[in-house]
Amino acid sequence: MNTYYVYIMTNRSKTLYTGVTNDLYRRVYEHKQKLIPGFTQKYNINRLVYYQETSDIREAIAREKQIKGWLRAKKIALIESINPQWRDLSADWFET
């Protein structure tokens, strides 16, 4: 069975990035190391603050699009519903 993740990452300024992946560990590492050029590299998006998993890729993509369509306040409410301190949920995943 495959697992897919919808996730939200941020930076110190709380700029938000929503994505979908089949390997959350690898994708967060790529963001933290700035391996992929683009928005997350430009804005130093390096803190995982929310994720959910599903076994259905169509469901994951639909959820990502849903979240991306929300106003910022609704995204913040989603994050704070599981992570009120905005902790980096991946803080202990990698060697520093």
Side-chain angles (χ1 to χ4, degrees), residues 70-81:
W70 289 352
L71 294 175
R72 179 177 173 78
K74 191 168 182 178
K75 294 175 191 179
I76 289 171
L78 176 65
I79 293 164
E80 291 182 348
S81 72

Side-chain angles (χ1 to χ4, degrees), residues 7-94:
Y7 64 95
I8 301 175
M9 294 192 66
T10 191
N11 59 12
R12 283 187 180 169
S13 303
K14 293 192 176 176
T15 302
L16 300 176
Y17 174 84
T18 304
V20 65
T21 185
N22 66 343
D23 186 339
L24 187 61
Y25 183 90
R26 173 191 48 81
R27 192 67 181 112
V28 169
Y29 180 83
E30 290 170 348
H31 287 303
K32 287 180 175 285
Q33 298 300 315
K34 300 176 182 60
L35 299 178
I36 310 293
F39 182 86
T40 60
Q41 183 184 63
K42 180 178 178 181
Y43 292 98
N44 196 31
I45 305 293
N46 61 7
R47 297 178 186 181
L48 178 67
V49 291
Y50 173 87
Y51 68 92
Q52 66 183 87
E53 61 182 72
T54 180
S55 60
D56 184 344
I57 185 60
R58 292 177 302 271
E59 183 180 311
I61 292 169
R63 180 67 166 159
E64 176 197 27
K65 288 179 180 179
Q66 178 187 45
I67 292 170
K68 283 184 171 185
W70 289 352
L71 294 175
R72 179 177 173 78
K74 191 168 182 178
K75 294 175 191 179
I76 289 171
L78 176 65
I79 293 164
E80 291 182 348
S81 72
I82 63 141
N83 188 2
Q85 268 66 49
W86 290 63
R87 291 183 306 107
D88 181 357
L89 302 175
S90 66
D92 60 351
W93 291 6
F94 311 103

